[in-house]
Structures are given as structure tokens and as C-alpha cells.
Amino acid sequence: MANILIIEDEKKIARVLQLELEHEGYETDAAFTGTSGLEKFKEQQWDLVLLDVMLPELSGLEVLRRIRATDNSTPVILLTARNSIPDKVSGLDLGANDYVTKPFEIEELLARVRASLRTVQTGTEKHAGLLTVKDWKVNEKTREVSRGDEHVDLTPKEFDLLVYFIENKGQALNREQILNGVWGFDYYGDTNIVDVYVRHLRKKLDLSEVLVTLRGVGYRLKE
């Protein structure tokens, strides 16, 4: 699992965050000043940073500025005060990926952590031209789908639909969204075409357990 650096001067909050994140399977470490947080960031590779804006020694925004001077890829989520709109704007301008307003619900923070990590993972995979679903490797550059030595032939639209589901993994997608994303806005045919192609993908790639039907909505590819 990912390792997360928490830079938060309120030790009780930092400890709660560590306990909750470790319960979810993440590895964590904490720093309680801007200076020590920046030092810990430089000591090793981190998958994500939770950064309080109000820190002693160095402010959170200054820590962020120094992080972004050498690292543009590690996700940083700011922890901000309820009414600190200027801090939020400044943080996003300096390269923060997201922010959570104190006091926050832990489930919201965990969701934002998952989203930030997922975005980085997807970006890395797409940079290599490789995506994955279940135990299949999907190569966007060669448009090949394989599992070990096994290769599956997909039609162009089946392949495009598969990539669309992977890129929107975890999201509930209705048929209109899927049609627009795969067939284009100028498609005027029957929306049942989506159901037909979903059946093809399920059969060819054995995706019935992960490509699920949402009654009255559409489909979702599970995480």
C-alpha cells in the first residue's frame, strides 16, 4: 500500500490520521513542524502528503512551494481552516492536488486520499500506455489485451469501451455517458448497443464479477 506523510502540528489530529490511515492499510509517518516535515519529505519517496496550512517554523504553503520546486508529481492534500479561502486558492495555485476543510469527516478525507492516489496511478499507467483490469493488461498504444501468453481479440469499439470503463473505474456510468464517451455525441442509435457490447466484454474477458450492472442507472467497473 501507499506510504503517506502527515505534516500537522496538532499532535492529536496527526495521531488520529495515522490510526485511520493505517487501519486502511497505508504506511504513515508524521511531522509536527514545517521544517521537520520538509526534511522528512526529502528523506524518502512518498506516495502522498497531507499538509496542514498553519504550521510553526515554515507555513504549509511555504512547505508546498518548496516541495513543488523539485517535485511536481507527489500528490499533496491541504488541511485548511473552514473560512481560509485565500489559503485554498493559494495552495491550488502552488500545486496542491486537493484540500480538506477542518473539521473534516474522516470518510471524506479517506475518499480524497484514494482519489488522489488513483489519479497518480492512472496517469503513470497511461504514460506507459498500459492499463489493467482484473488480471488483463490493456496496451493503448498497440490496442492489445493480454494475460500472460493469452491474447484476446477485441473489435475497435469493444476496445474503446473497455478503456473507457478503466479510465472511469469505480464510477457509476449511465448509458448516455457511455455512448457519448465511446460512440460520440453524434450517435443517434439505440442505447441498447451499450448492453450488447458490455455482454461481449464480460464474455471475452470474464468480467462479470467486476463489470457490474446498476439497476436503473447503467454500469460500474469495480475498483
Side-chain angles (χ1 to χ4, degrees), residues 87-117:
D87 286 341
K88 295 173 185 175
V89 173
S90 298
L92 294 172
D93 286 343
L94 286 169
N97 299 78
D98 201 353
Y99 63 83
V100 178
T101 301
K102 293 181 178 180
F104 50 80
E105 295 290 336
I106 193 64
E107 289 304 324
E108 178 191 0
L109 182 131
L110 292 174
R112 291 180 183 272
V113 166
R114 290 192 295 269
S116 293
L117 291 172

PDB file of all heavy atoms in Angstrom, residues 87-117:
ATOM      1  N   ASP A  87      -6.143  30.842   1.490  1.00  0.00           N
ATOM      2  CA  ASP A  87      -5.189  29.739   1.609  1.00  0.00           C
ATOM      3  C   ASP A  87      -5.500  28.634   0.605  1.00  0.00           C
ATOM      4  O   ASP A  87      -4.593  28.048   0.012  1.00  0.00           O
ATOM      5  CB  ASP A  87      -5.220  29.158   3.030  1.00  0.00           C
ATOM      6  CG  ASP A  87      -4.534  30.068   4.037  1.00  0.00           C
ATOM      7  OD1 ASP A  87      -3.755  30.931   3.598  1.00  0.00           O
ATOM      8  OD2 ASP A  87      -4.789  29.912   5.242  1.00  0.00           O
ATOM      9  N   LYS A  88      -6.775  28.344   0.426  1.00  0.00           N
ATOM     10  CA  LYS A  88      -7.163  27.301  -0.527  1.00  0.00           C
ATOM     11  C   LYS A  88      -6.750  27.692  -1.945  1.00  0.00           C
ATOM     12  O   LYS A  88      -6.181  26.885  -2.689  1.00  0.00           O
ATOM     13  CB  LYS A  88      -8.667  27.067  -0.455  1.00  0.00           C
ATOM     14  CG  LYS A  88      -9.149  26.506   0.875  1.00  0.00           C
ATOM     15  CD  LYS A  88     -10.669  26.469   0.943  1.00  0.00           C
ATOM     16  CE  LYS A  88     -11.148  26.011   2.323  1.00  0.00           C
ATOM     17  NZ  LYS A  88     -12.616  26.067   2.455  1.00  0.00           N
ATOM     18  N   VAL A  89      -7.045  28.927  -2.310  1.00  0.00           N
ATOM     19  CA  VAL A  89      -6.703  29.407  -3.650  1.00  0.00           C
ATOM     20  C   VAL A  89      -5.191  29.403  -3.843  1.00  0.00           C
ATOM     21  O   VAL A  89      -4.677  28.922  -4.857  1.00  0.00           O
ATOM     22  CB  VAL A  89      -7.276  30.820  -3.882  1.00  0.00           C
ATOM     23  CG1 VAL A  89      -6.767  31.385  -5.212  1.00  0.00           C
ATOM     24  CG2 VAL A  89      -8.800  30.773  -3.873  1.00  0.00           C
ATOM     25  N   SER A  90      -4.460  29.937  -2.859  1.00  0.00           N
ATOM     26  CA  SER A  90      -3.001  29.978  -2.954  1.00  0.00           C
ATOM     27  C   SER A  90      -2.422  28.573  -3.040  1.00  0.00           C
ATOM     28  O   SER A  90      -1.490  28.318  -3.815  1.00  0.00           O
ATOM     29  CB  SER A  90      -2.402  30.709  -1.745  1.00  0.00           C
ATOM     30  OG  SER A  90      -2.833  32.045  -1.697  1.00  0.00           O
ATOM     31  N   GLY A  91      -2.972  27.670  -2.240  1.00  0.00           N
ATOM     32  CA  GLY A  91      -2.489  26.298  -2.246  1.00  0.00           C
ATOM     33  C   GLY A  91      -2.676  25.624  -3.594  1.00  0.00           C
ATOM     34  O   GLY A  91      -1.764  24.959  -4.108  1.00  0.00           O
ATOM     35  N   LEU A  92      -3.849  25.787  -4.187  1.00  0.00           N
ATOM     36  CA  LEU A  92      -4.098  25.210  -5.501  1.00  0.00           C
ATOM     37  C   LEU A  92      -3.200  25.844  -6.556  1.00  0.00           C
ATOM     38  O   LEU A  92      -2.698  25.161  -7.454  1.00  0.00           O
ATOM     39  CB  LEU A  92      -5.574  25.368  -5.872  1.00  0.00           C
ATOM     40  CG  LEU A  92      -6.556  24.569  -5.006  1.00  0.00           C
ATOM     41  CD1 LEU A  92      -7.997  24.957  -5.338  1.00  0.00           C
ATOM     42  CD2 LEU A  92      -6.364  23.068  -5.188  1.00  0.00           C
ATOM     43  N   ASP A  93      -2.980  27.144  -6.448  1.00  0.00           N
ATOM     44  CA  ASP A  93      -2.087  27.826  -7.387  1.00  0.00           C
ATOM     45  C   ASP A  93      -0.642  27.333  -7.252  1.00  0.00           C
ATOM     46  O   ASP A  93       0.107  27.302  -8.245  1.00  0.00           O
ATOM     47  CB  ASP A  93      -2.125  29.344  -7.169  1.00  0.00           C
ATOM     48  CG  ASP A  93      -3.409  29.980  -7.698  1.00  0.00           C
ATOM     49  OD1 ASP A  93      -4.108  29.319  -8.504  1.00  0.00           O
ATOM     50  OD2 ASP A  93      -3.719  31.118  -7.303  1.00  0.00           O
ATOM     51  N   LEU A  94      -0.261  26.966  -6.033  1.00  0.00           N
ATOM     52  CA  LEU A  94       1.102  26.478  -5.804  1.00  0.00           C
ATOM     53  C   LEU A  94       1.276  25.015  -6.187  1.00  0.00           C
ATOM     54  O   LEU A  94       2.394  24.495  -6.158  1.00  0.00           O
ATOM     55  CB  LEU A  94       1.484  26.671  -4.330  1.00  0.00           C
ATOM     56  CG  LEU A  94       1.795  28.106  -3.894  1.00  0.00           C
ATOM     57  CD1 LEU A  94       1.901  28.192  -2.371  1.00  0.00           C
ATOM     58  CD2 LEU A  94       3.080  28.597  -4.543  1.00  0.00           C
ATOM     59  N   GLY A  95       0.170  24.334  -6.509  1.00  0.00           N
ATOM     60  CA  GLY A  95       0.294  22.958  -6.980  1.00  0.00           C
ATOM     61  C   GLY A  95      -0.313  21.901  -6.087  1.00  0.00           C
ATOM     62  O   GLY A  95      -0.063  20.702  -6.294  1.00  0.00           O
ATOM     63  N   ALA A  96      -1.113  22.306  -5.086  1.00  0.00           N
ATOM     64  CA  ALA A  96      -1.818  21.302  -4.286  1.00  0.00           C
ATOM     65  C   ALA A  96      -2.819  20.564  -5.161  1.00  0.00           C
ATOM     66  O   ALA A  96      -3.415  21.133  -6.071  1.00  0.00           O
ATOM     67  CB  ALA A  96      -2.539  21.964  -3.108  1.00  0.00           C
ATOM     68  N   ASN A  97      -3.001  19.275  -4.884  1.00  0.00           N
ATOM     69  CA  ASN A  97      -3.941  18.472  -5.667  1.00  0.00           C
ATOM     70  C   ASN A  97      -5.370  18.573  -5.162  1.00  0.00           C
ATOM     71  O   ASN A  97      -6.316  18.413  -5.928  1.00  0.00           O
ATOM     72  CB  ASN A  97      -3.503  17.001  -5.646  1.00  0.00           C
ATOM     73  CG  ASN A  97      -2.143  16.800  -6.256  1.00  0.00           C
ATOM     74  OD1 ASN A  97      -1.134  17.080  -5.619  1.00  0.00           O
ATOM     75  ND2 ASN A  97      -2.093  16.331  -7.489  1.00  0.00           N
ATOM     76  N   ASP A  98      -5.523  18.859  -3.867  1.00  0.00           N
ATOM     77  CA  ASP A  98      -6.861  18.914  -3.279  1.00  0.00           C
ATOM     78  C   ASP A  98      -6.730  19.558  -1.905  1.00  0.00           C
ATOM     79  O   ASP A  98      -5.628  19.817  -1.418  1.00  0.00           O
ATOM     80  CB  ASP A  98      -7.428  17.493  -3.162  1.00  0.00           C
ATOM     81  CG  ASP A  98      -8.941  17.459  -3.058  1.00  0.00           C
ATOM     82  OD1 ASP A  98      -9.559  18.545  -2.937  1.00  0.00           O
ATOM     83  OD2 ASP A  98      -9.512  16.363  -3.107  1.00  0.00           O
ATOM     84  N   TYR A  99      -7.870  19.826  -1.281  1.00  0.00           N
ATOM     85  CA  TYR A  99      -7.850  20.320   0.090  1.00  0.00           C
ATOM     86  C   TYR A  99      -9.047  19.756   0.840  1.00  0.00           C
ATOM     87  O   TYR A  99     -10.072  19.418   0.267  1.00  0.00           O
ATOM     88  CB  TYR A  99      -7.847  21.851   0.142  1.00  0.00           C
ATOM     89  CG  TYR A  99      -9.073  22.509  -0.432  1.00  0.00           C
ATOM     90  CD1 TYR A  99     -10.236  22.650   0.324  1.00  0.00           C
ATOM     91  CD2 TYR A  99      -9.072  22.986  -1.742  1.00  0.00           C
ATOM     92  CE1 TYR A  99     -11.365  23.249  -0.207  1.00  0.00           C
ATOM     93  CE2 TYR A  99     -10.192  23.582  -2.283  1.00  0.00           C
ATOM     94  CZ  TYR A  99     -11.335  23.715  -1.513  1.00  0.00           C
ATOM     95  OH  TYR A  99     -12.460  24.301  -2.045  1.00  0.00           O
ATOM     96  N   VAL A 100      -8.898  19.647   2.154  1.00  0.00           N
ATOM     97  CA  VAL A 100      -9.977  19.220   3.048  1.00  0.00           C
ATOM     98  C   VAL A 100     -10.093  20.266   4.138  1.00  0.00           C
ATOM     99  O   VAL A 100      -9.092  20.691   4.712  1.00  0.00           O
ATOM    100  CB  VAL A 100      -9.691  17.838   3.661  1.00  0.00           C
ATOM    101  CG1 VAL A 100     -10.808  17.447   4.633  1.00  0.00           C
ATOM    102  CG2 VAL A 100      -9.548  16.776   2.582  1.00  0.00           C
ATOM    103  N   THR A 101     -11.319  20.718   4.402  1.00  0.00           N
ATOM    104  CA  THR A 101     -11.552  21.774   5.378  1.00  0.00           C
ATOM    105  C   THR A 101     -11.758  21.194   6.775  1.00  0.00           C
ATOM    106  O   THR A 101     -12.534  20.262   6.963  1.00  0.00           O
ATOM    107  CB  THR A 101     -12.789  22.602   4.972  1.00  0.00           C
ATOM    108  OG1 THR A 101     -12.569  23.160   3.675  1.00  0.00           O
ATOM    109  CG2 THR A 101     -13.037  23.722   5.954  1.00  0.00           C
ATOM    110  N   LYS A 102     -11.045  21.752   7.752  1.00  0.00           N
ATOM    111  CA  LYS A 102     -11.237  21.358   9.155  1.00  0.00           C
ATOM    112  C   LYS A 102     -12.475  22.048   9.719  1.00  0.00           C
ATOM    113  O   LYS A 102     -12.720  23.216   9.386  1.00  0.00           O
ATOM    114  CB  LYS A 102     -10.024  21.766   9.988  1.00  0.00           C
ATOM    115  CG  LYS A 102      -8.748  21.033   9.661  1.00  0.00           C
ATOM    116  CD  LYS A 102      -7.652  21.539  10.596  1.00  0.00           C
ATOM    117  CE  LYS A 102      -6.346  20.834  10.385  1.00  0.00           C
ATOM    118  NZ  LYS A 102      -5.290  21.316  11.289  1.00  0.00           N
ATOM    119  N   PRO A 103     -13.219  21.401  10.611  1.00  0.00           N
ATOM    120  CA  PRO A 103     -13.103  19.985  10.960  1.00  0.00           C
ATOM    121  C   PRO A 103     -13.671  19.116   9.846  1.00  0.00           C
ATOM    122  O   PRO A 103     -14.667  19.476   9.227  1.00  0.00           O
ATOM    123  CB  PRO A 103     -13.955  19.876  12.241  1.00  0.00           C
ATOM    124  CG  PRO A 103     -14.974  20.959  12.101  1.00  0.00           C
ATOM    125  CD  PRO A 103     -14.305  22.079  11.354  1.00  0.00           C
ATOM    126  N   PHE A 104     -13.044  17.999   9.584  1.00  0.00           N
ATOM    127  CA  PHE A 104     -13.452  17.165   8.456  1.00  0.00           C
ATOM    128  C   PHE A 104     -13.951  15.810   8.949  1.00  0.00           C
ATOM    129  O   PHE A 104     -13.607  15.349  10.041  1.00  0.00           O
ATOM    130  CB  PHE A 104     -12.293  16.966   7.483  1.00  0.00           C
ATOM    131  CG  PHE A 104     -11.018  16.513   8.153  1.00  0.00           C
ATOM    132  CD1 PHE A 104     -10.829  15.181   8.513  1.00  0.00           C
ATOM    133  CD2 PHE A 104     -10.004  17.427   8.418  1.00  0.00           C
ATOM    134  CE1 PHE A 104      -9.662  14.777   9.132  1.00  0.00           C
ATOM    135  CE2 PHE A 104      -8.837  17.026   9.040  1.00  0.00           C
ATOM    136  CZ  PHE A 104      -8.659  15.699   9.403  1.00  0.00           C
ATOM    137  N   GLU A 105     -14.777  15.188   8.128  1.00  0.00           N
ATOM    138  CA  GLU A 105     -15.191  13.812   8.368  1.00  0.00           C
ATOM    139  C   GLU A 105     -14.095  12.905   7.835  1.00  0.00           C
ATOM    140  O   GLU A 105     -13.624  13.089   6.706  1.00  0.00           O
ATOM    141  CB  GLU A 105     -16.517  13.508   7.663  1.00  0.00           C
ATOM    142  CG  GLU A 105     -17.700  14.299   8.192  1.00  0.00           C
ATOM    143  CD  GLU A 105     -18.098  13.865   9.594  1.00  0.00           C
ATOM    144  OE1 GLU A 105     -17.785  12.707   9.963  1.00  0.00           O
ATOM    145  OE2 GLU A 105     -18.709  14.680  10.306  1.00  0.00           O
ATOM    146  N   ILE A 106     -13.690  11.925   8.623  1.00  0.00           N
ATOM    147  CA  ILE A 106     -12.581  11.065   8.217  1.00  0.00           C
ATOM    148  C   ILE A 106     -12.890  10.315   6.920  1.00  0.00           C
ATOM    149  O   ILE A 106     -12.003  10.081   6.104  1.00  0.00           O
ATOM    150  CB  ILE A 106     -12.203  10.084   9.350  1.00  0.00           C
ATOM    151  CG1 ILE A 106     -10.862   9.419   9.038  1.00  0.00           C
ATOM    152  CG2 ILE A 106     -13.306   9.062   9.566  1.00  0.00           C
ATOM    153  CD1 ILE A 106      -9.679  10.354   8.989  1.00  0.00           C
ATOM    154  N   GLU A 107     -14.167   9.969   6.698  1.00  0.00           N
ATOM    155  CA  GLU A 107     -14.513   9.249   5.469  1.00  0.00           C
ATOM    156  C   GLU A 107     -14.287  10.127   4.246  1.00  0.00           C
ATOM    157  O   GLU A 107     -13.887   9.625   3.185  1.00  0.00           O
ATOM    158  CB  GLU A 107     -15.974   8.772   5.530  1.00  0.00           C
ATOM    159  CG  GLU A 107     -16.214   7.635   6.512  1.00  0.00           C
ATOM    160  CD  GLU A 107     -15.331   6.423   6.238  1.00  0.00           C
ATOM    161  OE1 GLU A 107     -15.081   6.132   5.056  1.00  0.00           O
ATOM    162  OE2 GLU A 107     -14.883   5.784   7.201  1.00  0.00           O
ATOM    163  N   GLU A 108     -14.566  11.422   4.382  1.00  0.00           N
ATOM    164  CA  GLU A 108     -14.320  12.327   3.253  1.00  0.00           C
ATOM    165  C   GLU A 108     -12.827  12.401   2.965  1.00  0.00           C
ATOM    166  O   GLU A 108     -12.400  12.338   1.810  1.00  0.00           O
ATOM    167  CB  GLU A 108     -14.847  13.733   3.554  1.00  0.00           C
ATOM    168  CG  GLU A 108     -14.559  14.714   2.411  1.00  0.00           C
ATOM    169  CD  GLU A 108     -14.825  16.164   2.777  1.00  0.00           C
ATOM    170  OE1 GLU A 108     -15.239  16.423   3.924  1.00  0.00           O
ATOM    171  OE2 GLU A 108     -14.613  17.035   1.912  1.00  0.00           O
ATOM    172  N   LEU A 109     -12.019  12.523   4.019  1.00  0.00           N
ATOM    173  CA  LEU A 109     -10.585  12.609   3.814  1.00  0.00           C
ATOM    174  C   LEU A 109     -10.054  11.326   3.178  1.00  0.00           C
ATOM    175  O   LEU A 109      -9.235  11.373   2.256  1.00  0.00           O
ATOM    176  CB  LEU A 109      -9.876  12.876   5.134  1.00  0.00           C
ATOM    177  CG  LEU A 109      -8.356  13.036   4.988  1.00  0.00           C
ATOM    178  CD1 LEU A 109      -7.864  14.281   5.707  1.00  0.00           C
ATOM    179  CD2 LEU A 109      -7.628  11.814   5.522  1.00  0.00           C
ATOM    180  N   LEU A 110     -10.509  10.177   3.653  1.00  0.00           N
ATOM    181  CA  LEU A 110     -10.054   8.903   3.078  1.00  0.00           C
ATOM    182  C   LEU A 110     -10.441   8.796   1.611  1.00  0.00           C
ATOM    183  O   LEU A 110      -9.664   8.296   0.788  1.00  0.00           O
ATOM    184  CB  LEU A 110     -10.643   7.731   3.868  1.00  0.00           C
ATOM    185  CG  LEU A 110     -10.124   7.555   5.298  1.00  0.00           C
ATOM    186  CD1 LEU A 110     -10.902   6.447   6.015  1.00  0.00           C
ATOM    187  CD2 LEU A 110      -8.628   7.241   5.309  1.00  0.00           C
ATOM    188  N   ALA A 111     -11.632   9.289   1.269  1.00  0.00           N
ATOM    189  CA  ALA A 111     -12.073   9.260  -0.129  1.00  0.00           C
ATOM    190  C   ALA A 111     -11.173  10.141  -0.992  1.00  0.00           C
ATOM    191  O   ALA A 111     -10.814   9.784  -2.121  1.00  0.00           O
ATOM    192  CB  ALA A 111     -13.520   9.721  -0.238  1.00  0.00           C
ATOM    193  N   ARG A 112     -10.793  11.298  -0.477  1.00  0.00           N
ATOM    194  CA  ARG A 112      -9.926  12.206  -1.237  1.00  0.00           C
ATOM    195  C   ARG A 112      -8.513  11.628  -1.368  1.00  0.00           C
ATOM    196  O   ARG A 112      -7.852  11.811  -2.388  1.00  0.00           O
ATOM    197  CB  ARG A 112      -9.896  13.587  -0.577  1.00  0.00           C
ATOM    198  CG  ARG A 112     -11.228  14.325  -0.701  1.00  0.00           C
ATOM    199  CD  ARG A 112     -11.182  15.683  -0.042  1.00  0.00           C
ATOM    200  NE  ARG A 112     -12.470  16.343  -0.117  1.00  0.00           N
ATOM    201  CZ  ARG A 112     -12.859  17.113  -1.134  1.00  0.00           C
ATOM    202  NH1 ARG A 112     -12.054  17.298  -2.170  1.00  0.00           N
ATOM    203  NH2 ARG A 112     -14.052  17.690  -1.127  1.00  0.00           N
ATOM    204  N   VAL A 113      -8.053  10.931  -0.347  1.00  0.00           N
ATOM    205  CA  VAL A 113      -6.763  10.243  -0.430  1.00  0.00           C
ATOM    206  C   VAL A 113      -6.801   9.191  -1.535  1.00  0.00           C
ATOM    207  O   VAL A 113      -5.909   9.111  -2.387  1.00  0.00           O
ATOM    208  CB  VAL A 113      -6.395   9.605   0.927  1.00  0.00           C
ATOM    209  CG1 VAL A 113      -5.253   8.603   0.767  1.00  0.00           C
ATOM    210  CG2 VAL A 113      -6.025  10.675   1.935  1.00  0.00           C
ATOM    211  N   ARG A 114      -7.860   8.371  -1.521  1.00  0.00           N
ATOM    212  CA  ARG A 114      -7.980   7.322  -2.556  1.00  0.00           C
ATOM    213  C   ARG A 114      -8.033   7.936  -3.950  1.00  0.00           C
ATOM    214  O   ARG A 114      -7.412   7.424  -4.885  1.00  0.00           O
ATOM    215  CB  ARG A 114      -9.227   6.472  -2.299  1.00  0.00           C
ATOM    216  CG  ARG A 114      -9.134   5.576  -1.076  1.00  0.00           C
ATOM    217  CD  ARG A 114     -10.266   4.562  -1.057  1.00  0.00           C
ATOM    218  NE  ARG A 114     -11.563   5.186  -0.916  1.00  0.00           N
ATOM    219  CZ  ARG A 114     -12.160   5.420   0.248  1.00  0.00           C
ATOM    220  NH1 ARG A 114     -11.557   5.089   1.388  1.00  0.00           N
ATOM    221  NH2 ARG A 114     -13.356   5.976   0.308  1.00  0.00           N
ATOM    222  N   ALA A 115      -8.790   9.027  -4.096  1.00  0.00           N
ATOM    223  CA  ALA A 115      -8.929   9.663  -5.404  1.00  0.00           C
ATOM    224  C   ALA A 115      -7.594  10.210  -5.889  1.00  0.00           C
ATOM    225  O   ALA A 115      -7.240  10.049  -7.065  1.00  0.00           O
ATOM    226  CB  ALA A 115      -9.973  10.777  -5.339  1.00  0.00           C
ATOM    227  N   SER A 116      -6.832  10.845  -5.011  1.00  0.00           N
ATOM    228  CA  SER A 116      -5.534  11.408  -5.407  1.00  0.00           C
ATOM    229  C   SER A 116      -4.557  10.311  -5.787  1.00  0.00           C
ATOM    230  O   SER A 116      -3.827  10.428  -6.781  1.00  0.00           O
ATOM    231  CB  SER A 116      -4.948  12.251  -4.277  1.00  0.00           C
ATOM    232  OG  SER A 116      -5.718  13.411  -4.054  1.00  0.00           O
ATOM    233  N   LEU A 117      -4.535   9.234  -5.025  1.00  0.00           N
ATOM    234  CA  LEU A 117      -3.636   8.126  -5.346  1.00  0.00           C
ATOM    235  C   LEU A 117      -4.040   7.451  -6.647  1.00  0.00           C
ATOM    236  O   LEU A 117      -3.200   7.061  -7.449  1.00  0.00           O
ATOM    237  CB  LEU A 117      -3.630   7.100  -4.201  1.00  0.00           C
ATOM    238  CG  LEU A 117      -2.984   7.573  -2.897  1.00  0.00           C
ATOM    239  CD1 LEU A 117      -3.227   6.545  -1.797  1.00  0.00           C
ATOM    240  CD2 LEU A 117      -1.483   7.800  -3.087  1.00  0.00           C
TER     241      LEU A 117
END
